[in-house]
Amino acid sequence: MFVRSTLLVLAILPVAAAGVAAGAPQSCKTFSDAGTPSTADDIITCELTSYLSCADTLDPAGKLHDITVPVNLQLAAPTTSFTAGGGCGVPEVPLFNGVYQNTPYDFDIAGYVEGNIDTLTVELHDIHATQARQTGTMNLNVRIAIDGASPFGSEKRKNVSGTEFDSPLAIVVPVTLVPSSTRASDAMFFTVTNLGLDLPQLLQAGKGAHHAVAVTIGFDALNATGGQVPVWGATEVPASITINGAIKGKVIDARTIG
């Protein structure tokens, strides 16, 4: 843990990235018109951005996230700069990847979002010195579960006690690195589309209902050799999950996978 803490302190200095803009304000649109005079039976999708939270930190400075729990989501956008003490992160070693969701070996995000879901966009920020800096791209091993269902399919796994369970499959998502103005960090984006067509139950909740969303990111050791520190919770690095927003980065059509 001392090594992890030291790496994080060295990485999260006031050189961290001028950031990418946060998600657009919430807006709603008709996804599907029921064909009746009333709009009450139409399927509506609303844009909503949830930001990664720095609530679960271990050190007094509030910088080091607890690797034993997923990063939670919050509706409030970051308002404090890294230079003013905002933000947090967690060191990741890409030589080790988990084989199912929610392990200390991957970067886990989990929380709740409200309303029907058609698309899901993930924004990440990473401080690193890997060979991916030369290529401008990085492969992410991505697992997603929404209300326990994976748009990419699932596989049988066993936990440490030997109990068998269904685990979301991981898919490889090649993302383009977007350097900050200082080049101390890179932003990464990907969007999963047609979730509601792949998992129809995601379009039946209606506004006000909540979905449990879990996203697991494994950094591919093949093209990301070296230490990395995903960072979030500051105005320069507003890492987030947005539903039904603008499509950003690599696009994955949920209907063609799983």
Side-chain angles (χ1 to χ4, degrees):
M1 184 59 69
F2 174 78
V3 174
R4 280 177 169 268
S5 302
T6 302
L7 176 60
L8 187 66
V9 170
L10 291 174
I12 304 181
L13 292 173
V15 297
V20 178
Q26 182 176 4
S27 59
C28 299
K29 63 182 180 181
T30 301
F31 176 83
S32 177
D33 189 333
T36 64
S38 172
T39 60
D41 50 0
D42 294 345
I43 295 176
I44 306 298
T45 55
C46 297
E47 179 180 347
L48 179 67
T49 298
S50 300
Y51 297 89
L52 276 62
S53 167
C54 287
D56 296 303
T57 53
L58 296 173
D59 59 319
K63 292 292 185 183
L64 180 64
H65 178 75
D66 182 353
I67 64 170
T68 66
V69 297
V71 179
N72 206 348
L73 296 173
Q74 62 182 34
L75 291 178
T79 57
T80 305
S81 167
F82 259 111
T83 59
C88 57
V90 62
E92 286 289 318
V93 181
L95 295 178
F96 302 99
N97 282 328
V99 295
Y100 50 83
Q101 209 152 37
N102 192 12
T103 76
Y105 304 109
D106 289 325
F107 184 51
D108 293 301
I109 305 165
Y112 290 89
V113 300
E114 180 181 328
N116 295 315
I117 302 176
D118 177 43
T119 67
L120 186 148
T121 299
V122 177
E123 174 178 345
L124 302 172
H125 294 266
D126 189 23
I127 296 175
H128 65 107
T130 74
Q131 64 191 46
R133 283 282 172 90
Q134 281 69 54
T135 64
T137 61
M138 184 182 294
N139 286 344
L140 304 178
N141 295 313
V142 178
R143 302 176 196 269
I144 293 178
I146 305 176
D147 296 336
S150 170
F152 309 146
S154 61
E155 61 184 338
K156 295 293 184 182
R157 288 286 184 181
K158 290 184 178 180
N159 60 22
V160 292
S161 63
T163 303
E164 192 173 69
F165 65 98
D166 290 323
S167 174
L169 278 172
I171 66 167
V172 176
V173 178
V175 294
T176 299
L177 303 183
V178 183
S180 67
S181 61
T182 63
R183 303 190 69 84
S185 70
D186 290 302
M188 311 173 196
F189 303 87
F190 65 87
T191 300
V192 185
T193 62
N194 293 311
L195 281 162
L197 298 179
D198 184 62
L199 300 172
Q201 64 269 29
L202 300 184
L203 292 175
Q204 297 171 359
K207 189 175 182 180
H210 291 82
H211 297 282
V213 174
V215 178
T216 294
I217 308 293
F219 295 91
D220 194 335
L222 293 178
N223 74 341
T225 304
Q228 298 175 284
V229 182
V231 287
W232 64 93
T235 53
E236 301 93 339
V237 286
S240 63
I241 290 177
T242 298
I243 60 170
N244 309 318
I247 293 175
K248 297 181 181 181
K250 177 65 177 178
V251 177
I252 305 104
D253 188 335
R255 297 172 301 176
T256 64
I257 301 174

